[in-house]
Each structure stands twice: as structure tokens, then as C-alpha cells.
């Protein structure tokens, strides 16, 4: 059965193509900076938005039917799997990501949930082999069910903690079975609404323990990939403990998790935290925690997580600059944690959205490569710090300078002669000049 009948196999046709079902910038086998675009970008499809989300919002029921013609719950989920692989094939997407509860129907008990999962995982394993698709990462949905209303690892109820641990155990097993190269922890409701009812210290300690326990279990049964924490500042809780990249890195250090964990940075979460996407990626990179990316974009006029497909080329360029500077992805990739708008409700809209996002990032890669090859921005930054290459600066850089020596140096000098201009506007104009040359 074909689920996306009006979606053809999407091909690269070049920038002058007027075919809306073609790539204009994403040419999978084209080489840029030593690797093919496919290898650089490692696009992944998000199962939850693509196969599950039906366009509901606070004021309205779904506008899309994602049952894919299934009559029983199990058939619905089997058809979701067939539809998923059909779409990945048609769009040349090599990877996918899912939550345990996206791929199989929820049962009455944990045992029933696990049994349902096993049925679909069997099916997926076959489809993955047949179509050559890979799992970028798996995760557990520990935020949707009412039991998680007060959090999972940070719940005040020990039974909820135990349930979450057991659920994550199974999700990691499934991820390993499907050859996943990553496992994500997004702290869905790991946060709080008010300190009047919250013991923050206890909650953070418990969360650290949950991550330690489950990640070590994964290692003990052979997981070789990366674990990621995905920062987000708010929504659903008012204060999420994984606020931003810097907060998460501090948390990982405190609970001795840095060896096993990196970050999955999402664009929309960065802007919700009041940062740029580039800032969050740079924080991850300079701390050796750059892992994977949830590629989407928010709406700066709206204060919530809109998860739109990324089409802002300035943002994708700055993102790909960071990715290239980090040396590219190892176990990570670009997961489109993005959904069509409520009013873009047809199956074709899903294809148009992915094409827009993939071309958006293909352009970003092309532009980032141009910026690096142009070299003026990097040369400027290098020169800006050149005072650390000689004299007293060299001693500071080598950490041999003493406090007395620095004092004597300045006392002898009297004062600092004015420091050089930052030239922000000049550089912003170079950026535009390279992009539009
Ligand atoms: C929600 C998050 C979520 C994670 C995976 O805002 O983006 O979808 O990526 O649990
Ligand atoms: Ca995400
Ligand atoms: Ca999001």
C-alpha cells in the first residue's frame, strides 16, 4: 500500500528548478569540503511529528488523520511504520528518531507496553534492513502519561521514579536492538511550577541518579553510542532543570556524567532560553559536548515551542559553521524535530516541509563552506587575539605568568593603550557579501 500517493521520489534538480517536489540545493552525493552532503548533514525524520502529530492545539482538535488506514491500534502503528519508511525513501532521508510511545500502542501495564513495542520493533528491524535506514537515536516518552504530571526522575513519588527507570531500560534495549547511534534524554517534565511544593536539591540528585543508573545499564548490555541531554528552558514546566547548554554541562559535571553524555541542541529551545542557536552550539562545542541537533526553528514573536521546519538561511548557515568547526557529526545528525502547521494538513505538506528544511540546511552547509573558504572572518578573530602570541600575552596563554609579574608589567606601562575595534558591522557586511556573492 502506498501512503503518500501524491509524493514522488524527490530528486535534486538544481536551483533553477520550479518543481516543488524537487530539491534545489540538497544534492546528496555532491562533495563539499571533503564529504558528500549526505554525510555532512545526516538528516533524520522525527517519528512523533511526522507519523503521530495530528495538528491539535490548545483550541482545536486534530486537522490531520495519522491512522494511515489502520483499523485496530496495532494496525495503525504497523501502518505508521510502513508510511515512515515510504516517506524516508521518497525523500532520501537515511535516519529516523523516535520515542517508545510513538512507534507502538500504549498498553494497560508496562509489560503490555513492552510486548507491543516488541511487535513493532520486529517489523522495523526488517524494514530498516530492506531499505537501508538507520536509527539516529531513540528515547522514552516520560512526560505524556498522567503518572508523570509531577515529573519522572524528579517526581516526589518513588513509584513514578521506578516506572521511569523501567521504561527507560526498555527504550535503551530497543535502541540497541535497532542499532541506534544515540539515546536522548529530554527532561519532559523534569522541572517545577513552584518552590512552595518542591525540594529542588532532592529532585536534581534523583535525576542525576536516574541518568547514571540507566546509562550504565545501557553500557553493560553493549551500547556504544552517545547519550544526549536535550536542554530546554521551559514548557511544559515553568522551570525546566535542563534550562540550556551551560546549565546541563554543570549538571553533567556535578553528577559525573560527562564521559557518557553529550548534548542534543534544538534551535527552538535555544531561542526559548533567550540565546541564539549558534550560542548553544558553541557552548556545547567549546565544552567538548557537541553531539546532535534537533533542526527546527521557533517564531521569535511567540513565546512557545512552535517546532517549525527550518528555512531561515542565516540560522542554518551559522549552525553549519558550528558543525564544521566541531569537526562534523560523529554519532549525531540533523533530526527534523519539526511539524507542519495545523493548516498545512495534507500528506503533500509533509513532503513540502521536509524539502524546505532539507534545502534550508543544504544552503546552510553551502554557505558555511563559502564563509570558511573566504577566510576573512576566521582571520579577523585570529588577529583579534594575537596579543596572546608574544610577550606577556604568551606567558598568560602558557599559564606561566605570575600575579606579581602582571602587576609589575602594568605598573611599568602605566595604563593600557586603547584596544582594537571589534568591527561588528564590518564583519556582518562581509557575512552578507559572501552569502550573496
Ligand atoms: C520537546 C522536545 C522533544 C525531544 C524528544 O520539546 O523537543 O521532542 O526532542 O523527547
Ligand atoms: Ca527536540
Ligand atoms: Ca521542541
Amino acid at each position: 500500500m502506498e501512503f503518500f500517493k501524491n509524493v514522488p521520489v524527490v530528486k535534486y534538480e538544481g536551483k533553477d528548478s520550479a518543481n516543488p517536489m524537487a530539491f534545489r540545493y540538497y544534492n546528496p552525493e555532491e562533495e563539499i569540503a571533503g564529504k558528500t552532503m549526505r554525510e555532512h548533514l545526516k538528516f533524520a525524520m522525527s517519528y512523533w511529528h511526522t507519523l503521530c502529530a495530528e495538528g491539535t492545539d490548545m483550541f482545536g482538535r486534530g486537522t490531520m488523520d495519522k491512522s494511515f488506514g489502520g483499523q485496530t491500534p496495532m494496525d495503525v502503528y504497523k501502518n505508521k511504520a510502513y508510511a515512515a519508511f515510504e516517506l524516508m525513501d521518497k525523500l532520501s532521508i537515511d535516519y529516523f528518531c523516535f520515542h517508545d510511545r510513538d512507534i507502538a500502542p500504549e498498553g494497560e501495564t508496562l509489560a503490555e507496553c513492552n510486548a507491543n513495542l516488541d511487535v513493532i520493533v520486529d517489523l522495523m528491524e526488517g524494514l530498516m534492513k530492506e531499505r537501508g535506514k538507520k536509527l539516529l537515536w531513540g528515547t522514552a516518552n516520560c512526560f505524556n502519561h498522567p503518572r508523570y504530571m509531577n515529573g519522572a526522575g524528579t517526581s516526589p513519588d518513588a513509584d513514578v521514579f521506578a516506572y521511569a527507570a523501567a521504561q527507560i531500560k526498555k527504550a535503551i534495549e530497543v535502541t540497541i536492538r535497532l542499532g541506534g547511534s544515540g539515546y536522548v534524554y529530554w527532561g519532559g517534565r523534569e522541572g517545577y511550577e513552584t518552590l512552595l511544593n518542591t525540594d529542588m536539591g532532592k529532585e536534581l540528585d534523583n535525576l542525576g541518579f536516574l541518568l547514571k543508573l540507566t546509562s550504565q545499564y545501557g553500557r553493560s548490555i553493549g551500547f556504544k553510542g552517545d547519550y544526549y541531554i536535550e536542554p530546554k528552558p521551559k514548557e511544559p514546566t515553568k522551570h525546566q532543570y535542563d534550562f540550556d547548554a551551560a546549565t546541563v554541562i554543570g549538571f553533567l559535571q556535578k553528577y559525573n556524567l560527562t564521559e557518557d553524555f553529550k548534548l542534543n541542541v534544538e534551535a527552538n529551545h535555544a531561542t526559548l532560553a533567550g540565546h541564539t542557536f549558534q550560542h548553544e552550539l558553541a557552548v556545547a562545542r567549546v565544552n567538548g559536548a557537541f553531539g546532535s541537533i534537533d533542526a527546527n526553528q521557533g517564531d521569535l514573536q511567540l513565546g512557545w515551542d512552535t517546532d517549525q521546519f527550518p528555512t531561515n538561511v542565516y540560522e542554518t548557515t551559522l549552525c553549519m559553521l558550528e558543525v564544521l568547526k566541531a569537526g562534523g557529526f560523529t554519532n549525531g545528525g540533523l533530526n527534523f524535530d519539526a511539524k507542519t502547521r495545523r493548516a498545512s494538513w495534507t500528506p503533500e505538506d509533509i513532503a513540502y516541509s521536509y524539502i524546505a528544511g532539507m534545502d534550508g540546511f543544504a544552503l546552510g552547509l553551502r554557505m558555511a563552506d563559502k564563509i570558511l573558504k573566504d577566510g576573512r572572518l576566521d582571520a579577523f578573530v585570529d588577529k583579534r587575539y594575537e596579543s596572546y602570541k608574544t610577550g606577556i600575552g604568551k606567558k598568560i596563554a602558557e599559564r606561566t605568568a605570575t600575579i606579581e609579574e602582571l602587576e609589575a608589567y602594568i605598573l611599568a606601562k602605566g595604563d593600557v593603550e586603547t584596544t582594537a575595534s571589534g568591527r561588528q558591522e564590518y564583519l556582518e557586511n562581509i557575512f552578507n557579501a559572501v552569502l550573496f556573492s
Side-chain angles (χ1 to χ4, degrees):
M1 193 161 147
E2 194 181 11
F3 296 95
F4 294 91
K5 287 205 179 65
N6 297 327
V7 179
V9 172
V10 177
K11 298 243 165 64
Y12 170 71
E13 291 185 5
K15 67 178 170 41
D16 298 325
S17 171
N19 175 5
M21 286 288 181
F23 295 118
R24 293 189 298 144
Y25 304 100
Y26 182 52
N27 186 9
E29 304 313 325
E30 184 180 333
E31 282 214 5
I32 291 183
K35 281 200 280 189
T36 63
M37 295 186 88
R38 184 189 282 276
E39 289 166 336
H40 271 294
L41 294 163
K42 294 183 70 182
F43 288 131
M45 180 197 73
S46 67
Y47 218 92
W48 53 103
H49 287 310
T50 309
L51 287 315
C52 305
E54 298 190 321
T56 53
D57 69 14
M58 305 279 249
F59 301 94
R61 66 189 80 157
T63 58
M64 313 163 196
D65 177 5
K66 299 268 177 89
S67 65
F68 297 97
Q71 296 305 317
T72 64
M74 197 43 97
D75 280 348
V76 168
Y77 282 85
K78 283 183 179 165
N79 287 355
K80 281 186 199 293
Y82 291 120
F85 284 81
E86 179 191 324
L87 191 71
M88 283 190 276
D89 263 350
K90 287 181 166 173
L91 292 170
S92 290
I93 294 178
D94 297 329
Y95 297 85
F96 63 105
C97 301
F98 61 73
H99 302 83
D100 47 3
R101 302 293 174 258
D102 303 336
I103 62 170
E106 192 146 11
E108 292 289 325
T109 61
L110 181 63
E112 227 177 276
C113 291
N114 290 351
N116 289 348
L117 258 179
D118 287 337
V119 173
I120 302 290
V121 169
D122 282 343
L123 171 66
M124 275 192 169
E125 206 176 23
L127 287 168
M128 287 171 73
K129 277 208 190 94
E130 192 182 304
R131 316 288 182 94
K133 303 295 175 197
K134 286 171 270 185
L135 178 63
L136 189 68
W137 50 258
T139 187
N141 182 327
C142 293
F143 44 89
N144 183 286
H145 192 281
R147 82 174 70 83
Y148 293 125
M149 67 173 79
N150 293 307
T154 62
S155 172
D157 185 337
D159 281 2
V160 175
F161 182 103
Y163 196 108
Q167 189 183 333
I168 293 168
K169 175 177 178 285
K170 179 69 178 176
I172 292 175
E173 289 164 4
V174 163
T175 300
I176 294 174
R177 200 175 141 204
L178 294 178
S181 54
Y183 184 87
V184 163
Y185 291 81
W186 169 60
R189 291 182 195 273
E190 312 293 29
Y192 68 91
E193 302 295 328
T194 171
L195 284 174
L196 293 177
N197 65 13
T198 301
D199 182 338
M200 187 197 278
K202 191 183 286 304
E203 293 199 354
L204 284 165
D205 287 350
N206 282 349
L207 184 58
F209 178 55
L210 180 72
L211 265 54
K212 195 53 143 191
L213 197 65
T214 51
S215 62
Q216 281 187 345
Y217 170 72
R219 293 295 184 219
S220 79
I221 58 163
F223 182 59
K224 300 259 182 321
D226 288 323
Y227 291 106
Y228 308 112
I229 293 190
E230 182 180 321
K232 186 175 182 180
K234 56 187 170 187
E235 197 194 324
T237 70
K238 177 175 165 66
H239 303 272
Q240 298 265 137
Y241 291 131
D242 301 332
F243 190 94
D244 61 2
T247 309
V248 169
I249 286 164
F251 174 90
L252 292 175
Q253 285 167 352
K254 177 169 179 198
Y255 295 101
N256 290 318
L257 294 162
T258 48
E259 288 249 311
D260 284 303
F261 280 79
K262 292 182 174 160
L263 301 187
N264 181 39
V265 176
E266 179 179 317
N268 204 159
H269 298 180
T271 49
L272 283 179
H275 299 306
T276 61
F277 185 22
Q278 188 193 15
H279 168 90
E280 287 293 88
L281 291 166
V283 170
R285 173 170 62 82
V286 304
N287 286 287
F290 170 75
S292 203
I293 289 179
D294 269 9
N296 62 15
Q297 70 188 26
D299 183 317
L300 294 182
Q301 278 81 51
L302 300 176
W304 64 91
D305 194 15
T306 58
D307 286 345
Q308 289 164 239
F309 275 85
T311 52
N312 181 326
V313 178
Y314 275 85
E315 291 297 315
T316 60
T317 301
L318 292 169
C319 169
M320 288 315 295
L321 259 179
E322 282 299 321
V323 174
L324 293 176
K325 285 186 179 170
F329 293 112
T330 47
N331 286 323
L334 284 169
N335 167 47
F336 286 106
D337 190 354
K339 60 186 175 203
T340 57
R341 298 305 85 195
R342 178 176 161 76
S344 306
W345 61 275
T346 74
E348 300 84 86
D349 285 301
I350 296 178
Y352 290 138
S353 308
Y354 272 97
I355 293 168
M358 291 165 78
D359 263 348
F361 263 92
L363 263 171
L365 170 62
R366 289 176 187 280
M367 296 300 132
D369 180 52
K370 274 172 83 176
I371 297 272
L372 289 177
K373 290 215 169 92
D374 175 85
R376 277 178 287 174
L377 296 184
D378 277 344
F380 183 90
V381 174
D382 196 48
K383 193 161 169 17
R384 193 167 182 226
Y385 295 89
E386 73 179 350
S387 65
Y388 288 95
K389 287 181 184 160
T390 53
I392 195 75
K394 188 157 186 258
K395 289 188 171 172
I396 296 171
E398 289 168 352
R399 308 291 181 253
T400 55
T402 65
I403 184 88
E404 291 80 12
E405 191 180 4
L406 294 173
E407 182 192 39
Y409 173 78
I410 290 298
L411 284 174
K413 252 186 119 96
D415 200 354
V416 176
E417 292 144 31
T418 59
T419 90
S421 166
R423 298 255 191 271
Q424 181 171 334
E425 301 77 4
Y426 159 84
L427 295 167
E428 285 166 345
N429 204 25
I430 288 183
F431 194 86
N432 278 348
V434 175
L435 255 59
F436 297 100
S437 69

